[in-house]
Amino acid sequence: MSETTAVSIRNLSKSFDGVEVLRDVDLVVKKGDVVTILGSSGSGKSTLLRCVNWLEQPDRGTITIAGQRIGVNDAGKPMSMRELAKVRARTGMVFQSFNLWPHLNVLHNVTEAPIHVLGKARSEAEAHAHELLEKVGMSHKTAAYPNTLSGGQKQRVAIARALAMRPEVMLFDEPTSALDPELVGEVLAVIKALSAEGYTMVIVTHEMTFARAVSDQVVFLDKGRIIESADPETFFTRPSTERVQKFLERNEG
Amino acid sequence: MNASAWSMLLEGAWVTLWISGVSIAIGVVAGLLLALVRLARIPIIDQILVLYISLARATPLVTLTLFIFLSAPNFGIQLDRNLAGILALTINTTAFNAEIWRSAFGNFSREQREAAMSMGMTPWVTFRRIMFPQLMITSLPGLVNEMSFLIKGSPAIAVIGIVDLTRVTNRISAVTYEPLPPILVACALYMAIIGCLVWLQRIAEHRANRLAE
């Protein structure tokens, strides 16, 4: 495996109750790249993303994060919860429904895992958190509790929370799908800024214009298979499959 | 009522308070532990706990108290009255508390747990830092409810000769031939004790509002 690979997915398959949702998926994400995963709902894109940090267990296939295999340890046995937690700490995930912890204020949502997972000193974790909250434009709300924030603000805090672990890769699971239309822009702007800073990101989204602007690679999933994988220019102007052409036509305008 | 009647009443109130208090303190923690063990779904142990919980919930406090006090000598144990009383109340309240905690665990947000997992938290850290602080607040109304049931059920321990707040009213009226005044005072004292609990519950509910999204 090359030094420049952030995530490598090989032959990934997964079924739910006998229905195959992922079939032999192969995907390599290079360090610093932004890969967006497109596809209609039910195509398996969220499941693929959730397999990367083992929130879903694939039936077959391997996933490595910066050279570290997830789910199976060096002895070839299924990982213990503790081993799994260690690998997960190297990924950051942003959920569709934000999933902030309501009993902690904004600052403590961000510092909780660095302190209690990475063992960072509170002062160090808070300094880093302030930096990240500044980056996502939430530094004025450090003492606020999640229930006082708008959806867009919650999602920006959730992004800062994931970044606080200094992850090898950021996973975005439809980060704007639960937002009111007028709040989508502020979240996409933050993600765009991160891509400019060289963060490695895998993004499941329905925002076509955004995907085109931000991606290094676009992947299209259909019935659990990757049927198209290309740079955004090629993908959006000269897709090679009819399925993607139709998908793009329907999502135009 | 004379001064000695008043001091007897206060002593009775103290007995009710400390015996219930000790049972509640043990019962809340033991209930939490049982709920955690039940979540682990260990075969046999789980069935034993289910049996215990249904038995303890189905047995009247008076019966349970009598049974514990009278059966202990058969096992070669000479139980102190107070200890038997505490044991009976604790066995009873632990069973109810275990169910309260368990339902709170069951309803806990999967999304929040996934967020914790995705950040690399182990199940123990997730429990300690994310779940427990919230479960404590969401379970409190149920727990306080159960505490007030326990205090109101505590006169059952008088059956083995403990002179609690209810029993003491009998003793006073046996001397004064006026049953009403001590009973009224006892009622007021029970209300005061439970009032304190409800007040605590309100504070917790106030904090719980923040958790409601």
Side-chain angles (χ1 to χ4, degrees):
Chain A
M1 176 149 323
S2 119
E3 291 273 303
T4 59
T5 304
V7 180
S8 161
I9 300 170
R10 293 262 171 253
N11 297 318
L12 201 72
S13 296
K14 163 90 186 158
S15 305
F16 285 118
D17 303 320
V19 180
E20 207 163 37
V21 286
L22 293 175
R23 281 190 277 180
D24 292 326
V25 172
D26 286 294
L27 182 65
V28 173
V29 182
K30 288 202 295 263
K31 264 183 196 157
D33 267 9
V34 177
V35 175
T36 51
I37 303 175
L38 303 180
S40 44
S41 44
S43 60
K45 48 195 195 310
S46 280
T47 307
L48 173 58
L49 198 72
R50 289 164 58 84
C51 280
V52 173
N53 63 1
W54 223 251
L55 286 183
E56 302 288 355
Q57 280 187 33
D59 302 331
R60 286 191 306 281
T62 60
I63 297 169
T64 51
I65 294 151
Q68 163 75 59
R69 176 109 186 253
I70 187 166
V72 178
N73 63 22
D74 296 338
K77 300 235 165 59
M79 282 185 160
S80 66
M81 293 305 269
R82 189 175 288 269
E83 289 172 315
L84 212 47
K86 267 213 176 101
V87 192
R88 280 183 179 140
R90 305 176 69 182
T91 69
M93 189 167 218
V94 175
F95 299 84
Q96 184 176 344
S97 51
F98 332 122
N99 304 7
L100 292 179
W101 299 308
H103 63 303
L104 299 173
N105 68 24
V106 165
L107 183 68
H108 294 148
N109 260 280
V110 180
T111 58
E112 191 69 5
I115 292 172
H116 295 281
V117 175
L118 301 178
K120 295 256 187 279
R122 178 165 294 278
S123 56
E124 188 192 344
E126 287 189 356
H128 188 209
H130 281 296
E131 228 173 83
L132 294 170
L133 288 169
E134 179 84 49
K135 195 189 292 243
V136 299
M138 287 299 293
S139 53
H140 60 302
K141 288 281 191 183
T142 50
Y145 281 84
N147 67 338
T148 64
L149 304 179
S150 73
Q153 291 177 322
K154 281 183 199 173
Q155 196 60 302
R156 286 186 282 145
V157 172
I159 292 171
R161 174 176 71 172
L163 288 172
M165 298 296 282
R166 302 183 197 276
E168 305 278 350
V169 58
M170 286 282 285
L171 311 168
F172 292 86
D173 188 6
E174 302 197 23
T176 59
S177 297
L179 296 176
D180 292 337
E182 73 266 27
L183 301 177
V184 168
E186 62 188 67
V187 171
L188 294 184
V190 165
I191 302 175
K192 246 182 219 169
L194 295 179
S195 81
E197 286 184 41
Y199 283 94
T200 311
M201 303 195 272
V202 182
I203 307 169
V204 169
T205 185
H206 291 288
E207 300 286 335
M208 297 300 145
T209 321
F210 165 73
R212 188 167 182 171
V214 82
S215 309
D216 294 294
Q217 187 187 352
V218 181
V219 163
F220 189 88
L221 266 182
D222 185 46
K223 295 181 190 132
R225 276 181 194 283
I226 292 183
I227 60 166
E228 185 120 11
S229 171
D231 64 277
E233 207 41 47
T234 314
F235 182 91
F236 285 100
T237 54
R238 300 183 302 279
S240 58
T241 59
E242 204 179 321
R243 175 77 186 85
V244 173
Q245 281 166 21
K246 281 208 178 116
F247 177 84
L248 292 175
E249 275 163 29
R250 254 188 292 125
N251 285 280
E252 247 169 64
Chain B
M1 284 200 320
N2 56 20
S4 107
W6 277 103
S7 90
M8 281 168 79
L9 269 168
L10 287 179
E11 265 171 49
W14 171 242
V15 169
T16 290
L17 205 58
W18 84 262
I19 291 188
S20 305
V22 170
S23 307
I24 285 169
I26 302 172
V28 167
V29 178
L32 173 63
L33 293 177
L34 287 199
L36 283 175
V37 172
R38 284 212 59 199
L39 279 187
R41 292 211 188 86
I42 308 162
I44 302 172
I45 292 182
D46 199 45
Q47 273 99 26
I48 292 172
L49 290 182
V50 171
L51 185 70
Y52 154 66
I53 288 169
S54 25
L55 282 180
R57 294 211 300 178
T59 314
L61 258 177
V62 182
T63 322
L64 183 63
T65 310
L66 265 180
F67 174 74
I68 288 172
F69 189 61
L70 298 179
S71 68
N74 293 339
F75 301 104
I77 307 165
Q78 207 53 52
L79 262 191
D80 169 70
R81 276 175 220 288
N82 290 339
L83 201 57
I86 289 172
L87 207 56
L89 294 184
T90 305
I91 286 174
N92 175 274
T93 194
T94 297
F96 285 97
N97 287 338
E99 290 298 283
I100 292 167
W101 284 118
R102 199 170 67 93
S103 94
F105 284 127
N107 294 329
F108 192 81
S109 143
R110 189 175 64 104
E111 285 82 7
Q112 282 192 53
R113 271 212 315 265
E114 283 187 347
M117 280 194 269
S118 78
M119 303 290 290
M121 290 189 189
T122 56
W124 169 240
V125 172
T126 306
F127 174 75
R128 199 166 49 89
R129 300 294 314 175
I130 305 301
M131 295 178 72
F132 185 67
Q134 298 184 59
L135 291 172
M136 215 169 57
I137 291 168
T138 50
S139 304
L140 209 62
L143 292 173
V144 170
N145 215 15
E146 167 53 24
M147 290 174 202
S148 79
F149 274 125
L150 184 79
I151 290 167
K152 286 182 284 184
S154 68
I157 58 176
V159 75
I160 54 172
I162 298 175
V163 184
D164 74 324
L165 181 52
T166 299
R167 182 77 187 158
V168 82
T169 60
N170 261 333
R171 295 228 165 155
I172 294 168
S173 53
V175 178
T176 62
Y177 299 106
E178 281 182 317
L180 228 44
I183 291 270
L184 278 174
V185 176
C187 282
L189 287 172
Y190 277 115
M191 281 159 73
I193 295 170
I194 302 215
C196 285
L197 285 175
V198 173
W199 174 68
L200 280 175
Q201 184 177 4
R202 272 215 202 104
I203 294 176
E205 265 169 19
H206 185 70
R207 289 192 58 186
N209 286 339
R210 188 185 288 149
L211 303 183
E213 273 194 280

